[in-house]
Amino acid sequence: MLGDLFGRRRMFQAGTAVFTLASLLGGLAPNESLLISARILQGVGAALAAPSALALITTTFPAGKPRNTAMGVYAAMGGLGATVGLLLGGVLTDVLDWRWVFFINIPIGLAVLFGTKTLVEAERHPGHLDIPGVITGTGGLIALVYAITRGGEHGWTDSLTLTSFAAAAALLIGFLFLQARTADAMMPLRLFKDHSRWGSYATMLFIGAGMFATFYFLTLYMQLLGYSPVKTGCAYLPFSAGMGLAAAVSSKTAAHVAPRLIAGPGLLVAAAGMFWFAALEPDSSYAAHLMPAMFVTALGLGMSFVPLTLGAVSGVTHQDAGIASALLNTAQQIGGALGLAVLSTISTSAANNKLPEAASTLYQGLATKDFPLVAKAGEALTHGYSLAILGAGAMFLAGLAVTALAINACKQQHAESPAVAHMG
C-alpha cells in the first residue's frame, strides 16, 4: 500500500536502506535486546522492499512471455538467495564471526540501492494510510502466533493462551470489519473476488508454513549429525539447484499451460519430497536421503512459485498492483510464522513424549560425555523432527487442495493486464 501511495521505487529504496542500516546495527549490537531490535528493523525493511520489488515486476513487464520470464528469474533468485545466505552465513560464522552475517548485508544493500537508479518510478495514487487496519491486522496475527507458541509450552488450557486466542479472534474479526468499510483499506476485499487470486494467496500461506519450518528442522537435524555451519550451508545447495531449474521450466510453460496444471503437480512433488524427508533416522545418509529429498522438494516448490505469483498479480489494476504483491509476500511470511509455531509444538511434544526434556537431556549428555544418553536424546529429537516435517508435507497437500479448487484451470492470456495497459 505504501508503494501505491508514495511510489514503488521509492519504497523499495527505503526498505533496502532500512534493512541495510538494521544490518549495521545488528552487527554492532552489544547485547541481546539491541540485537532483537535490529532484527525487527530488518523485518520492517524487508516488508517495505519485497512487495515493491514484485509490484515493479508486475507493472514493468507486460503479461505473457516477458512477465513469465521475469517471474521465473524472481522465483529462482529467491531460492538461490536463501541457499547462498545459508552457505555464506556458515562460512562467515566459521571463518570470521557471527557479526559478519549482518555486516555482509551492507555492501549488498548499497549495491542494490545503486542499481535502483535504473528503475522507472510508477505512477502514484491518492489515498491515506489505513492505520486502524494496520493495528488490528498486525496485532491479531501477533496474538495468534503467540497463542500457538505458548499453548505448546504451557498447555492449551493455560489462561494466557486462551486470552491470546480470544484477542487474536477479536482483532482479526475487527480487521475484516474495517476492511469492508474503509475506502483506503490496507487489504481491499475486492482483490478476493477473483477465486484464482485468493487461491494463490491461500496456497502460498500453506507453502510458507511448510517450507520455513522444514529449513528450521533440517538445520537442527544436521546439528545432531555434527555438521559445521559451512557444511550445513553446503548441504542446502541441491535446494537452490532444484528451485532454479524448476522455476526456469515453469516460467517457459506458464503461458501455454493452465496455472493449476503447473502448481498442482508441483505441490504433489514437493509433498513427496517431504514424506521422503520424514523417514529420518539418527544416522540418515546425506547422499542417499537428505540430498535427493531436498532436490525433489525444491523441484516441486520451484514449479509452484511462478504460476502462483502470476495468479496473484494477474489482472489487477495499476492502483492495486502493490497491494496484491504485498498480500502474496504477507501470506508466505504469515504462513511461515504460523507453521513454525504449530510444527515446533508438534516436534517438541513428540520428542518429549519419547524422552522427557529431550533437548535439555542432549546438552546434559554432551556436557557429561554420556554418549548412550546423547544417542537416546538424539533418537527422541529425530522422531520429533520427522513428525514436524511430515506435518510440513501435509501443509503442501493442503495447498494442493486449494489449488485444485480455486486456481484457474485455463491458460493465462497474453494480453496486457490493466496494470500494464494503464502505463501505456
Side-chain angles (χ1 to χ4, degrees):
M1 184 175 186
L2 289 174
D4 296 330
L5 294 177
F6 304 113
R8 296 180 189 117
R9 185 182 71 166
R10 182 175 299 174
M11 285 300 101
F12 180 72
Q13 291 171 329
T16 304
V18 169
F19 186 88
T20 304
L21 175 61
S23 298
L24 174 62
L25 297 177
L28 297 175
N31 55 54
E32 182 179 348
S33 297
L34 291 178
L35 179 60
I36 293 174
S37 299
R39 289 289 292 155
I40 293 173
L41 191 59
Q42 278 188 319
V44 172
L48 289 172
S52 298
L54 184 55
L56 284 167
I57 293 174
T58 304
T59 55
T60 299
F61 296 92
K65 183 178 180 180
R67 188 184 299 174
N68 295 346
T69 301
M71 290 297 183
V73 173
Y74 178 82
M77 289 301 101
L80 179 62
T83 307
V84 170
L86 289 168
L87 174 59
L88 190 58
V91 172
L92 293 172
T93 301
D94 266 4
V95 176
L96 297 172
D97 182 75
W98 67 265
R99 295 181 182 275
W100 281 93
V101 174
F102 289 93
F103 290 146
I104 191 63
N105 293 324
I106 298 172
I108 296 174
L110 293 176
V112 171
L113 282 173
F114 181 79
T116 58
K117 293 182 178 180
T118 63
L119 297 175
V120 177
E121 183 61 272
E123 180 183 351
R124 294 161 59 181
H125 300 276
H128 300 88
L129 290 178
D130 180 15
I131 301 300
V134 171
I135 294 173
T136 54
T138 305
L141 291 171
I142 291 174
L144 180 58
V145 172
Y146 178 77
I148 294 173
T149 304
R150 184 176 177 84
E153 296 178 356
H154 299 276
W156 301 104
T157 58
D158 172 73
S159 59
L160 187 53
T161 299
L162 295 176
T163 301
S164 298
F165 272 121
L171 287 168
L172 292 175
I173 291 172
F175 171 73
L176 292 176
F177 179 84
L178 290 171
Q179 297 309 287
R181 289 161 176 77
T182 302
D184 297 316
M186 183 178 74
M187 188 183 75
L189 299 185
R190 61 179 176 271
L191 289 175
F192 297 92
K193 291 181 179 180
D194 186 315
H195 61 85
S196 190
R197 185 175 301 119
W198 69 253
S200 296
Y201 295 148
T203 303
M204 191 61 76
L205 185 142
F206 284 116
I207 288 177
M211 185 177 68
F212 291 163
T214 299
F215 277 130
Y216 175 73
F217 291 113
L218 281 179
T219 300
L220 292 179
Y221 176 72
M222 290 178 195
Q223 289 180 352
L224 282 181
L225 296 180
Y227 285 23
S228 68
V230 173
K231 189 174 181 180
T232 300
C234 290
Y236 280 110
L237 287 175
F239 186 89
S240 177
M243 179 75 77
L245 176 63
V249 172
S250 64
S251 68
K252 297 291 186 182
T253 58
H256 309 288
V257 181
R260 180 190 298 177
L261 300 181
I262 304 174
L267 287 168
L268 189 60
V269 170
M274 298 303 292
F275 295 137
W276 192 344
F277 267 136
L280 288 175
E281 298 291 340
D283 57 351
S284 292
S285 165
Y286 176 77
H289 187 172
L290 296 182
M291 181 176 69
M294 190 178 300
F295 185 74
V296 169
T297 301
L299 280 177
L301 293 178
M303 288 174 61
S304 305
F305 278 146
V306 174
L308 291 175
T309 303
L310 289 170
V313 299
S314 178
V316 298
T317 64
H318 193 271
Q319 181 176 353
D320 288 339
I323 298 174
S325 302
L327 284 175
L328 185 70
N329 283 281
T330 301
Q332 187 179 38
Q333 297 301 320
I334 291 172
L338 293 175
L340 187 56
V342 171
L343 296 176
S344 292
T345 300
I346 292 174
S347 176
T348 302
S349 299
N352 290 342
N353 286 338
K354 201 170 184 66
L355 179 67
E357 300 296 331
S360 300
T361 302
L362 174 68
Y363 295 129
Q364 178 185 344
L366 290 171
T368 60
K369 297 185 179 180
D370 185 345
F371 297 113
L373 185 61
V374 169
K376 191 174 182 180
E379 183 179 347
L381 290 170
T382 300
H383 173 66
Y385 301 156
S386 296
L387 283 182
I389 291 173
L390 196 63
M395 298 287 185
F396 292 159
L397 290 180
L400 173 60
V402 174
T403 298
L405 293 172
I407 301 297
N408 197 347
C410 301
K411 291 192 298 183
Q412 290 189 349
Q413 299 298 315
H414 288 271
E416 291 187 344
S417 70
V420 178
H422 182 81
M423 291 183 67

